Amino acid sequence: MLLVGHGSKLPYNKELIETTAGIIAEQTDMYLVKPGFMSLNTPTVEEQLKAFRSEDIDMLVVVPLFLAKGVHINQDIPEILGLPAGVRKGEFQLNGKTVPLVYANPIGSDPLLAELMLKNASDAIAELKP
């Protein structure tokens, strides 16, 4: 899994993506997880794609850690992956073989996101109590 983050001048953004990749890796052994960034941070998406070429994988899933669709999701990332606009499946060349490549949707509107926002609201309210 290539977990794609936006990138930022603020160190927290990079840490958030790297920590999330680590949590995913700890929760399951189904994926070899590498974080990559669109801009301002390294490793870049391109660098991680190159790194995956030397791994023994049967498929590459690219998962953007973005809330909503925008230019990076609809245009930039597919272009880097060699996917035509609107296409979410392709091929990835590595170690002399071709494996499927799939491009996941951003987080979007999801009950888990709503649950997290309720938790954050509850945590904020708890901070008001002495």
Side-chain angles (χ1 to χ4, degrees):
M1 174 189 298
L2 174 55
L3 186 66
V4 179
H6 187 278
S8 172
K9 291 179 183 177
L10 301 175
Y12 174 76
N13 180 279
K14 181 175 182 175
E15 293 166 8
L16 181 141
I17 303 299
E18 291 174 336
T19 299
T20 302
I23 292 169
I24 294 168
E26 288 174 10
Q27 289 183 352
T28 181
D29 59 1
M30 289 182 57
Y31 299 101
L32 169 64
V33 185
K34 295 180 185 285
F37 299 91
M38 290 301 299
S39 62
L40 301 172
N41 296 125
T42 57
T44 65
V45 171
E46 293 90 343
E47 289 168 340
Q48 291 297 50
L49 288 172
K50 184 177 180 182
F52 269 112
R53 293 190 197 290
S54 62
E55 300 288 355
D56 184 22
I57 58 173
D58 297 319
M59 175 185 293
L60 179 60
V61 59
V62 179
V63 180
L65 186 48
F66 286 65
L67 283 177
K69 292 181 180 180
V71 173
H72 282 322
I73 297 298
N74 292 334
Q75 183 178 333
D76 299 338
I77 297 171
E79 186 175 294
I80 293 168
L81 299 176
L83 296 174
V87 175
R88 305 199 82 67
K89 298 176 187 175
E91 295 179 337
F92 185 67
Q93 305 293 324
L94 70 143
N95 296 326
K97 68 177 182 177
T98 302
V99 298
L101 178 144
V102 285
Y103 177 41
N105 284 313
I107 296 167
S109 188
D110 187 289
L112 291 173
L113 185 60
E115 185 177 322
L116 180 58
M117 294 303 96
L118 287 170
K119 176 194 170 297
N120 287 356
S122 179
D123 290 350
I125 291 167
E127 290 177 16
L128 293 175
K129 297 177 182 174

